[in-house]
Structures are given as C-alpha cells and as structure tokens.
C-alpha cells in the first residue's frame, strides 16, 4: 500500500534563499492498494509528476508523510528497500536508458541489487518476454523506436521485481503507435502488479480500476472511470478533455436523457448501447 | 502553386552501404492560403519532406519549386526561401538559446537583415500572434517560462520572420489538451486573418481534424493517399493499413455501418457524429 | 533518421577466434604491442610485428581493406610528419631545390615514424573492430579493479565510459536537429571569418549544453530510482572468465612479441 498523508511540497528558490511557498502539492492524501490499476489525470503543471517522484523517495514531503507498506520515505535507511518495491518509469525514453545494449540496460537494476549472475539472467529473460523484446536483446538503444525504448525501460524496472509500477507520464512523448504498445502492455500487467499510471490523456483511464484527478496541487476527484467521465463540466475546468466517444454520448444524452442507462466510456459500449437497445 | 515538389527522391548517406531511402518519387503541390496536414507512421518520410520545403535538404532527383523558382543547393538565395517558408521543428523549445524573449524572437528577422525599428514591431506582433504579452515578457529569461509558454516563444521566433507559409512538425507534441487548443486556436487566426499557408505534420487525426482542409498520407517515403480531409478520414480500413489511426468519430461511424446502419463516415467532430446517430438511428427508430 | 545510421564504436559483428577472446586479453595485448612498437628501433621488428598484426586480422575475418581504412583519419598527420622529418633532419643531402633540401637520414627517419604510427593505429583498430563497447568497458573495469584498493575509481570510470558511448548517437542527432532548426531561422554555420564562425556557433552550443544538462539530470534520477549507488555490492550480468584458449593465445602472442623484441636488441 502506498499511502500519502496530507503531503505538501514546494520547490525552494535557491537564488533568493527564501522558501517560496508556491505549493506544487497541497495537502494531498491518497491511498493506492496492492493490485490496483490507478490512473492519475491532470494538466501540465498540476503537480502529478511531483506526486510520482514522492512514491519512491526521489522527493521527500515538506509536510505530511509518504509510506510504502509502512516504510516512511523520510528515513534515508528505508530508501533502498522502497526503491526495490516501487519502480518508476519516466517521461523521456531517451533519458532513462543507461547501457549500450538492451540486455545490459534491463540487467542494470538487478546488478545494483547485487543478485547472483544466474538470477540476473533469469530475471532478464523474464522481463524481456513480458515486454516482448526478446528479439532486441543485443540492439543498441538508439536504434529502437520510442515505444520500444519505453518497453525496455519498463522491463528494466520489472526485472527488479517491484510490487508497484509507477509510470510518470511515460506515454506523453510517444506517437500513437508507441502509446498503444505501452497501454496494451499495462493492461497485460494489470492484476499481477500494482500499476499507477500518470498521464494527461484521458482515454488511457478507460480501463483503470480507479481514476484520480489533480489540479493546482490538490486531489480534486476520485472514482471509477465512468464516475469521472460523468463530470463533464469539471473536466473542462481541470484542463482536460473528454474522449470523443464519451463526448458524443453526452451530446446525445442531453437531448434524450433516457437513452443510456449508464454513460458509455468505450467505442463498443456506445455502439452496443444503441444497437442492442432496439 | 506556392510549394511544388516534382518527382523528388532523397536518400540519407547516399552512395554508402548505410543508404536509407527517405523519399521516393514524391509529387505534391500546396497552394497559397491552404492548410494541409501530413500524416503517417514514424519514419515514413514526413520530416524529410518538410525539410525540403525550406532548403534544409535538397533532392537527389527531381525539383523543388517555391513560389515558382527552383531551389538548388548553390544557386538560390537560401535566406529568401527560409524567410518565405517558416519551419517549426518538433519540440522547438529545445532550440532556444537567448537570454531574453526579445533576443530569441528577434534572432530570425535580424539574420534576415531587418532594421532595428521594424524589429520591435515584428517581435511584438509575433508574440501577440501566439498569445503572449510583449511588455511583460520581452526582458524575461525564456528558460524561466513554463513548457507551454516556451513552445509559444519558439513558434513566435519563426513567425517573426513574417513567413508566408508556416510548416510545423508535431506542434502540440507533449502538450496537454488545453495547450493543444491554444496552439490550434492561434494557428487558425494566423490562417484566417493573415492568410498564412499552413502545413502541419502530425500523428493525430483528431488534431488535424481541427485545422487541416487537405490531408497527405505518407508511407515508406511515398505519398500514398491525398485528398480533402473528410474523404480521407472516412477510409477507415485504408488508413489502418498505412499505420494511421483513424479518428474516433470515423471509427465509431464505421462500426455502426458494420452493424447495418447507414451512417455517413465523413464525420469530423462529436457534434457531427451525434447528429448522424440522431438522424439515422434514433429518429428512424421512432418513425 | 540520421541517428539510425550511427554505429557505436567500430565493432564488426561477426564470429571469429579473435572476437571470442576475453576482452582483457585483447586489451593487454594491444597495450603490449603499443609499448613494444615504441621501443623497437629496427625495420626487422616492424616487419615481424606487421606480419603478426596481419595474421590477427586474417584470423579475425576482417577484410584487410577495412582495417586499412582506419588510417584515413590520420592521413594528414602522417603526411605532415613525413614532410617535417624529410626537410628538417640534417644529413647527407640527396635532393635540393632553393632552400629546400632532403637528407637521406630525414627520409629514412620519416618513413620509420610513419610505419610506427600506422602499426600503432592498426593494432588499436583491430581491438575496437573485434570488441563491442560493452566488452571494452567491462574489460577495462576488470583490469583496473586491482587499483581500487588505492582509491582508484575503476567502476565509476567504466560507468562514465558506458554512458558516454550510449549518448554519442543521441547527442549527434540532437546537434544535427538544432543546427537545422537554427539554419531555418537564417543562422549561418558555413561562411565568415573564424571569429565570426565561432560566434555563430552560440545558437547551436547553448541549446546543446542546456539539453545535455537536462539529460544528465534525468539520467541521474533514473539511475537513482533503479537502486544505483556506485560500485558497492554490485554484481554483473556478464562475469568475465579467462578460458584456456585465452591463456594459450596470450602466452603464444607474448612469447612471439618477446622473441621479436629480444632478437631486435640482439641484432642491434
């Protein structure tokens, strides 16, 4: 369980030597249960990425506390264990691959953990097959597409056998093809590992167990995808945009209030609702 | 025709074992005042194509004509071409280097030989076009701005050359929906009020639907499909073949057609789709 | 587009007895060869060492022409050295024109230095052509390990090398893109005086530096969150282990080189 208790965070301005309390996180309380697939939505600058970096102690709360399975990130001696439990994948695919070949990079985490060679090799094979990159093991990272690079980054984290996988805007720099690859990988992982996916693409939230929305450093809404997609007006004020399917359903529902018993959130749901009801 | 490519072919590292053919016999023509979207999977040649528009790359075979005159490596005055066709690269904020917003935005026109007096007016206009305030920002350090603002400063630094055509490579990459809306809104003003020709390279059909009138689809260095946006968008299966994800509205309409409803597939927006569903399904069921 | 064509290092991915040697053996041998090339002083040694290098090239299945290509970047240096030696070494004059005179000693010495330089380059190229960057850094780290006890940062150096190699294509591609982007704004990188040209590089270098710092920052965060804490307690995916064939090859090669060196001094 990842638990945020009244967490506040602000960046301090080094030059002026004054702490400018422009709060990036404003008393955020969140719980992520083991096994959940949670999507966190928010516009650029809403604080969602800062939140992600609190999950494994890259940032330490200025007020409040973050605990991972009871381990407080504030205590430096916990960080090693926390970082094995919580794997982070970042936004820029080019800036998180360290080694000169795919397999060396996937092995980087297990090597740091000091695992024996046979174990590293076993985990390497396992992680490569989960992300379906076995055929690329000897490739140099710059020869891969953006989606493939992010899959390697995810494999590198999975090889450390974490309990929580945090994707910090991992899809935002990818083309639709690459995003598709990551989203289908995440839905395959669903259930076997806790996934905390942070994004501003609302359609990536459709399959989530739970959706959270952040704006101006605060947690402004939580619920199932359907519950969140029902908040059409708020979604606009949070700087987000409904998927076109749901927007279409909303437009129809305005005219025909009884058309949909529940709001369709996917394309098949919309088509089914209209075709099967006749 | 303003921009014409006549049987253009181009390879990277030509005459080496590493030769990569990027454009193969490409013909295209873009008219003044048009807004054209170029789409295709990564590596299809769209970026190579746009770099031919303003003399950053030169064809191995074929001709590029800008405003009627041919662009050749040595002969044409390249500055003139680069002033006429403004090229905004992907993530343009990565090219910012000046200490002030004014310095950054005035770099282009200064290179083009614009006088100091006119410079201020032009910078003011360019910043205004991207929705930034000249007085509050001119002395600011561009690196202290937010990501979205940096993107707009970078676009302004191309606009300040007063190009007649603006070519943008993924102008909204990495921006959130709000930032996207902002950029597309400004581009529309530019086209409608200033008659600027727009060429927009994108991966997203939904984005292009907001602004392009005509679509060019590329695959493996060739133009494989070209036409008015509605015509292109409705060819759902063909698009998928070329690695382009059709817009959600067209996909949904196609799904309804599969189930036996005669929906028009050329719908571009949720509003249009809702209207089609209303007319073809709900009303008919009542009647 | 451009990035896809960049090859990391010069490694040729084929299989050969030389390719499968332990990188440490190859590094040591290259080092010894370089050292010996500097101390021997006669043509016979050069001949034998040249034949030795040629033999290794054949065993490595590397086309001789390809190996010779590695001399191309230093062609200018070679010619320059030759000219310098030929004209400025005093001795028996064999050709004269105005103030220019060529001495026999100068000619011989010039050739001698050139052959030495060529053999040096060929020996190191043979190493990089048959060893992947990963193996090279691994091998160096292993060889430097004994010096750790005196505080020598062996692991850190190897890690730095890996990261540098990893980012070469990324940075080249980025430089190319920024250059084009600035050219599109009328920047000129090709003409003007040297000072002017250096000044013109600012719009290229500033963004390149800023982006590199950003990358370094991102990379450090990514490494930290993957539990990196330097070389302490770290294990390896690939553990280097000397095989019998490695020992045999190293022994025979060193024996040959020693023989050549001794006979060279003996003949001298």
């Amino acid at each position: 369980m990842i638990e945020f208790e009244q967490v506040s965070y602000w960046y301090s301005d080094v030059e002026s030597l004054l702490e400018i309390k422009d709060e990036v996180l404003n008393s955020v309380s969140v719980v992520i249960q083991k096994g959940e697939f949670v999507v966190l939505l928010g516009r650029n600058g809403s604080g969602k990425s800062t939140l992600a970096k609190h999950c494994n102690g890259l940032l330490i709360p200025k007020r409040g506390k973050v605990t991972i399975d009871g381990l407080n990130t504030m205590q430096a001696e916990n960080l090693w264990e926390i970082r094995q439990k919580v794997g982070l994948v970042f936004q820029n695919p080019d800036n998180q691959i360290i080694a000169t070949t795919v397999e060396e990079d996937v092995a980087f985490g297990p090597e740091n953990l000091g695992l024996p060679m046979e174990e590293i090799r076993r985990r390497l094979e396992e992680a490569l097959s989960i992300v379906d990159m076995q055929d690329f093991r000897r490739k140099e990272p710059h020869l891969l597409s953006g989606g493939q690079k992010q899959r390697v980054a995810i494999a590198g984290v999975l090889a450390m056998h974490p309990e929580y996988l945090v994707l910090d805007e991992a899809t935002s720099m990818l083309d639709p093809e690459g995003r598709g690859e990551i989203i289908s990988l995440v839905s395959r992982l669903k259930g076997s590992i806790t996934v905390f996916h942070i994004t501003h693409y609302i359609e990536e939230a459709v399959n989530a167990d739970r959706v959270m929305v952040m704006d101006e450093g605060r947690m402004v809404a939580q619920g199932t995808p359907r519950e969140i997609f029902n908040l059409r007006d708020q979604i606009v004020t949070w700087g987000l945009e409904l998927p076109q399917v749901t927007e279409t359903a909303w437009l129809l529902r305005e005219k025909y209030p009884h058309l949909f018993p529940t709001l369709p959130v996917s394309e098949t749901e919309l088509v089914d609702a209209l075709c099967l009801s006749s | 025709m303003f921009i014409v490519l006549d049987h253009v072919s181009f390879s990277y590292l030509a005459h080496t074992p590493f030769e990569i053919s990027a454009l193969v016999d490409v013909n295209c023509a873009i008219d003044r005042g048009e807004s054209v979207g170029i789409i295709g999977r990564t590596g299809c040649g769209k970026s190579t194509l746009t770099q031919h528009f303003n003399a950053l790359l030169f064809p191995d075979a074929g001709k590029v004509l800008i405003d009627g005159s041919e662009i050749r490596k040595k002969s044409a005055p390249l500055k003139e071409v680069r002033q006429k066709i403004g090229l905004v690269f992907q993530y343009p904020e990565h090219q910012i280097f000046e200490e002030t917003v004014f310095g950054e935005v005035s770099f282009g026109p200064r290179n083009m030989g614009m006088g100091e007096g006119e410079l201020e007016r032009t910078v003011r206009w360019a910043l205004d076009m991207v929705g930034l305030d000249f007085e509050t920002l001119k002395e600011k350090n561009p690196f202290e701005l937010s990501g979205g603002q940096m993107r707009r400063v970078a676009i302004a630094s191309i606009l300040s050359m007063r190009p007649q055509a603006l070519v943008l490579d993924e102008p909204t990459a990495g921006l959130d929906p709000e930032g996207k809306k902002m950029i597309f809104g400004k581009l529309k003003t530019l086209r409608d009020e200033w008659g600027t020709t727009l060429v927009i390279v994108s991966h997203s059909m939904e984005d292009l639907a907001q602004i392009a009138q005509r679509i060019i689809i590329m695959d493996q260095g060739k133009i494989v499909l070209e036409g008015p946006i509605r015509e292109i968008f409705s060819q759902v299966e063909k698009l998928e073949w070329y690695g382009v994800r059709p817009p959600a509205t067209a996909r949904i309409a196609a799904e309804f057609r599969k189930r036996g409803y005669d929906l028009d597939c050329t719908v571009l927006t949720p509003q249009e789709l809702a209207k089609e569903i209303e007319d073809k399904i709900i009303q008919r069921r009542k009647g | 587009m451009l990035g896809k064509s960049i090859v990391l290092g010069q490694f040729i991915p084929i299989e050969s007895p030389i390719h499968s040697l332990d990188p440490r053996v190859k590094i040591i041998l290259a080092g010894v060869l370089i050292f010996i090339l500097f101390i021997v002083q006669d043509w016979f040694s050069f001949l034998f060492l040249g034949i030795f290098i040629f033999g290794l090239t054949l065993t490595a299945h590397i086309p001789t022409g390809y190996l010779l290509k590695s001399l191309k970047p230093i062609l200018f240096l070679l010619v320059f050295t030759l000219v310098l030696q030929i004209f400025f070494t005093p001795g028996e004059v064999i050709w004269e024109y105005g103030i220019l005179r060529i001495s026999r000693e100068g000619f011989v010495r010039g050739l001698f230095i050139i052959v030495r330089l060529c053999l040096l380059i060929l020996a190191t190229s043979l190493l990089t052509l048959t060893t992947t960057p990963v193996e090279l850094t691994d091998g160096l780290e292993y060889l430097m390990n004994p010096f750790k006890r005196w505080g020598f940062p062996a692991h850190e150096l190897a890690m730095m090398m890996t990261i540098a190699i990893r980012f070469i294509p990324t940075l080249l591609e980025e430089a190319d893109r920024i250059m084009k982007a600035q050219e599109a704004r009328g920047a000129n990188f090709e003409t003007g005086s040297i000072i002017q040209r250096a000044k013109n590089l600012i719009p290229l270098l500033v963004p390149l530096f800023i982006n590199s710092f950003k990358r370094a920052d991102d990379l450090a965060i990514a490494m930290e969150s993957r539990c990196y804490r330097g070389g302490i307690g770290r294990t390896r995916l690939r553990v280097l282990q000397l095989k019998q064939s490695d020992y045999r090859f190293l022994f025979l090669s060193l024996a040959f080189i020693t023989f050549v060196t001794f006979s060279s001094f003996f003949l001298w």
Side-chain angles (χ1 to χ4, degrees):
Chain A
M1 186 169 78
I2 300 181
E3 195 172 3
F4 281 69
E5 261 175 75
Q6 307 260 314
V7 172
S8 293
Y9 187 83
W10 52 90
Y11 290 97
S12 6
D13 195 337
V14 186
E15 277 175 35
S16 63
L17 291 170
L18 288 167
E19 295 232 321
I20 297 176
K21 277 202 186 175
D22 195 4
E23 298 200 349
V24 191
L25 292 183
N26 192 336
S27 191
V28 173
S29 296
V30 167
V31 172
I32 293 163
Q33 298 290 351
K34 211 164 255 187
E36 264 192 309
F37 172 29
V38 181
V39 170
L40 171 60
L41 295 168
R43 68 174 108 196
N44 291 351
S46 60
K48 57 189 194 304
S49 209
T50 308
L51 184 86
K53 292 191 178 67
H54 276 82
C55 291
N56 73 346
L58 287 172
L59 294 177
I60 306 295
K62 300 253 163 142
R63 238 195 342 256
K65 69 171 181 177
V66 178
T67 53
I68 287 92
D69 296 340
L71 297 166
N72 193 333
T73 59
M74 205 92 78
Q75 279 144 339
E77 65 272 19
N78 286 341
L79 285 181
W80 175 257
E81 203 179 334
I82 286 171
R83 287 184 185 150
Q84 290 178 51
K85 280 179 183 284
V86 185
L88 250 72
V89 176
F90 301 92
Q91 181 177 24
N92 192 333
D94 274 323
N95 297 358
Q96 51 185 323
I97 296 184
I98 295 127
T100 45
T101 63
V102 167
E103 62 176 13
E104 289 281 325
D105 191 72
V106 176
F108 180 76
E111 286 178 338
N112 291 333
L113 297 181
L115 298 170
M117 186 177 81
E118 302 75 41
E119 178 64 11
I120 297 180
R121 187 144 291 283
R122 212 180 54 71
R123 289 192 178 192
L124 167 71
E125 294 308 321
E126 178 196 69
L128 283 178
S129 82
I130 293 174
V131 303
D132 197 19
M133 288 290 286
Q134 299 103 310
D135 300 340
F136 296 86
R137 62 179 74 228
R138 294 283 155 79
K139 280 260 182 189
E140 292 159 6
H142 71 278
L143 301 173
L144 304 176
S145 73
Q148 289 170 335
K149 282 180 206 167
Q150 286 302 61
R151 272 150 68 197
V152 171
I154 292 175
V157 166
L158 291 180
M160 296 173 73
H161 284 181
E163 286 161 55
Y164 307 90
L165 175 65
V166 181
L167 304 172
D168 181 7
E169 299 194 59
T171 54
S172 77
M173 288 181 79
L174 302 181
D175 60 15
E177 212 174 323
R179 266 174 62 202
E181 286 168 27
I182 301 304
I183 294 310
S184 74
L185 172 60
V186 167
S187 40
R188 264 184 285 145
L189 289 174
K190 194 177 156 180
S192 60
I193 184 173
T194 314
V195 180
F196 186 28
H197 177 43
I198 293 158
T199 180
H200 59 238
Y201 293 109
I202 200 165
E203 56 278 18
E204 293 177 1
V206 171
N207 291 317
D209 296 325
R210 196 149 58 94
V211 180
M212 307 191 291
V213 185
M214 273 190 82
D215 198 29
E216 292 175 345
R218 290 168 196 274
M219 203 51 80
V220 289
Q222 284 194 53
T224 62
R226 212 181 303 279
E227 283 164 5
I228 297 294
F229 289 7
N230 256 312
L231 308 169
R232 188 194 188 193
D233 296 337
Q234 279 119 299
I235 281 177
V236 176
T237 57
W238 296 328
L240 301 169
E241 204 173 32
L242 272 182
Q244 292 196 331
V245 201
T246 320
E247 179 66 23
T248 309
W250 259 98
L251 290 167
L252 288 167
R253 196 160 75 167
E254 273 175 350
K255 257 190 171 168
Y256 307 94
H258 304 295
L259 195 57
F260 304 109
T262 55
L263 182 73
V265 294
S266 73
E267 286 162 29
T268 28
E269 272 185 30
L270 175 73
V271 178
D272 283 351
L274 286 164
C275 294
L276 302 177
S277 65
S278 54
Chain B
M1 283 294 150
F2 189 41
I3 302 174
V4 178
L5 262 65
D6 184 16
H7 295 285
V8 166
S9 295
F10 179 82
S11 309
Y12 287 98
L13 299 158
H15 316 300
T16 72
F18 305 107
E19 181 164 336
I20 306 162
S21 199
L23 292 180
V24 185
D25 196 29
V26 169
N27 290 299
C28 82
I30 293 164
D31 218 346
R32 256 178 214 285
E34 249 194 314
S35 48
V36 178
I38 303 179
I39 193 165
R41 55 165 74 100
T42 304
C44 69
K46 18 186 224 298
S47 298
T48 310
L49 184 73
T50 54
Q51 290 178 21
H52 278 79
F53 291 164
N54 80 340
L56 285 173
L57 293 175
F58 302 91
D60 295 336
K63 277 192 288 193
V64 178
L65 297 152
I66 304 294
D67 213 2
S69 56
E70 192 183 342
I71 308 302
R72 279 198 225 94
K73 208 168 213 160
K74 294 270 153 63
S75 66
L78 299 184
K79 267 193 186 164
E80 200 177 293
V81 178
R82 290 180 181 155
Q83 186 272 319
K84 266 187 197 160
I85 316 275
L87 180 54
V88 180
F89 274 74
Q90 195 172 358
Y91 297 109
E93 61 274 24
H94 289 171
Q95 76 200 31
I96 289 176
F97 71 99
E98 279 278 6
E99 284 166 53
T100 63
V101 169
F102 184 87
E104 188 63 36
V105 180
S106 63
F107 178 70
R110 218 173 243 149
N111 284 330
M112 299 300 165
M114 192 182 280
E116 288 296 324
E118 214 186 330
L119 213 50
E120 187 177 319
R121 213 150 29 89
T122 309
V123 172
R124 190 185 286 272
W125 174 82
L127 285 173
D128 188 45
M129 283 322 291
V130 296
L132 295 173
D133 182 51
F134 176 80
E135 294 301 334
T136 49
L137 284 181
K138 61 176 178 184
E139 296 301 329
K140 269 249 167 97
N141 183 339
F143 294 102
E144 285 167 8
L145 302 176
S146 76
Q149 285 175 319
M150 277 173 80
R151 174 79 50 96
R152 275 142 67 196
V153 167
I155 294 176
S157 75
I158 305 291
L159 280 179
S160 57
M161 294 187 292
R162 306 302 291 254
Q164 296 164 24
L166 195 62
V167 183
L168 305 106
D169 194 350
E170 293 279 354
T172 59
L175 296 184
D176 57 13
E178 224 175 5
K180 247 178 213 182
K181 230 178 270 168
M182 173 73 160
I183 299 279
F184 282 127
K186 296 298 166 191
L187 289 177
K188 261 179 226 164
T189 317
L190 209 58
R191 179 191 63 192
D192 298 340
E193 286 173 22
W194 298 86
T196 308
T197 311
L198 294 177
V199 180
I200 296 161
V201 176
S202 177
H203 284 297
S204 160
M205 283 286 208
E206 281 89 352
D207 286 357
L208 287 180
Q210 296 187 32
I211 192 149
Q213 297 154 336
R214 191 154 67 91
I215 298 285
I216 292 174
I217 296 192
M218 292 191 69
D219 191 33
Q220 294 179 13
K222 293 185 195 121
I223 292 181
V224 286
L225 209 57
E226 190 182 353
I229 189 159
R230 282 176 196 275
E231 244 168 66
I232 298 284
F233 276 19
S234 58
Q235 306 182 38
V236 172
E237 275 154 35
K238 243 189 190 168
L239 291 178
E240 276 166 358
W241 173 259
Y242 294 125
V244 175
R245 194 173 145 85
T249 48
R251 284 200 308 268
I252 296 165
E255 190 56 36
F256 275 119
R257 283 179 78 94
K258 265 191 212 152
R259 309 253 184 132
Y261 296 94
D262 184 31
L263 254 68
D264 185 0
C265 274
T266 64
V267 284
L268 284 184
T269 58
Q271 284 75 13
E272 288 178 12
L273 177 62
K275 182 89 176 49
E276 274 292 303
I277 293 174
E278 196 183 345
D279 291 351
K280 304 274 173 66
I281 301 176
I282 299 169
Q283 291 298 339
R284 209 160 288 178
R285 206 178 282 164
K286 280 187 180 165
Chain C
M1 238 18 237
L2 181 78
K4 306 269 177 213
S5 62
I6 298 165
V7 190
L8 287 185
Q10 304 170 286
F11 179 68
I12 303 182
I14 46 176
E15 284 187 19
S16 83
I18 305 290
H19 281 72
S20 58
L21 282 174
D22 190 291
R24 283 172 290 178
V25 170
K26 289 189 265 188
I27 295 170
I28 290 175
L29 197 63
V32 170
L33 262 178
I34 290 168
F35 179 69
I36 297 298
L37 279 168
F38 268 113
I39 60 168
V40 295
Q41 298 292 347
D42 62 315
W43 288 98
F44 271 111
S45 308
F46 279 179
L47 181 68
F48 283 117
L49 292 174
I51 289 171
F52 182 62
I53 291 172
F54 183 65
L56 291 182
T57 315
L58 287 185
T59 325
H61 304 314
I62 287 174
T64 321
Y66 202 93
L67 183 69
L68 290 176
K69 256 195 214 151
S70 57
L71 294 175
K72 225 168 145 188
I74 61 152
L75 210 61
F76 173 76
L77 183 71
L78 292 178
V79 174
F80 184 73
T81 316
L82 185 65
V83 170
L84 214 65
Q85 293 295 334
I86 282 180
F87 288 117
F88 297 103
T89 310
E92 179 192 342
V93 175
I94 50 174
W95 184 83
E96 204 170 2
Y97 182 85
I99 56 159
L100 294 176
R101 51 175 66 112
I102 294 179
S103 70
R104 173 189 290 278
E105 286 80 357
F107 189 69
V108 173
R109 228 176 112 177
L111 273 184
F112 197 81
I113 292 173
I114 283 190
V115 171
R116 173 177 282 165
L117 279 176
C118 286
L119 289 176
L120 280 175
I121 298 295
L122 292 179
T124 40
S125 297
L126 200 54
L127 174 66
T128 52
L129 286 170
T130 61
T131 319
T132 63
V134 173
E135 288 178 321
L136 267 182
T137 41
D138 273 2
L140 282 172
E141 185 177 350
Y142 269 82
L143 288 173
M144 293 184 297
N145 262 342
F147 302 104
K148 262 187 187 165
R149 72 184 72 167
W150 297 293
F152 186 77
H155 165 76
E156 284 72 13
L157 275 178
M159 181 56 74
M160 275 163 63
M161 266 174 66
T162 304
I163 291 172
I165 295 171
R166 151 75 183 85
F167 276 93
I168 287 170
T170 312
L171 291 181
L172 280 177
E173 202 176 40
E174 178 150 316
D176 180 65
R177 204 183 51 236
I178 295 174
M179 196 148 144
K180 276 182 174 158
Q182 307 299 25
E183 276 182 310
R185 294 204 280 165
N188 184 349
F189 296 111
E190 272 149 24
T191 52
S193 67
I194 288 185
I195 296 168
Q196 191 56 45
R197 268 202 234 188
K199 243 180 160 176
N200 290 350
L201 281 179
I202 292 173
L204 169 64
L205 294 179
V206 171
L208 202 56
F209 272 112
I210 289 172
N211 296 343
S212 302
F213 284 132
K214 171 92 180 76
R215 282 185 200 285
D217 215 29
D218 282 0
L219 196 69
I221 290 176
M223 289 170 75
E224 200 183 328
S225 75
R226 280 162 79 181
C227 287
Y228 182 70
R229 46 178 185 181
I232 323 145
R234 202 166 184 270
T235 48
R236 301 304 312 266
L237 166 68
R238 226 179 299 282
V239 177
L240 293 182
Q241 203 136 37
L242 289 167
K243 302 177 292 285
Q244 214 172 19
S245 55
D246 290 316
Y247 284 117
R248 209 179 311 137
F249 178 83
L250 189 64
F251 177 75
L252 287 176
S253 308
L254 289 181
F256 179 80
I257 294 172
T258 320
F259 173 72
V260 170
T261 319
F262 270 110
S263 53
S264 138
F265 283 112
F266 181 66
L267 288 170
W268 197 249

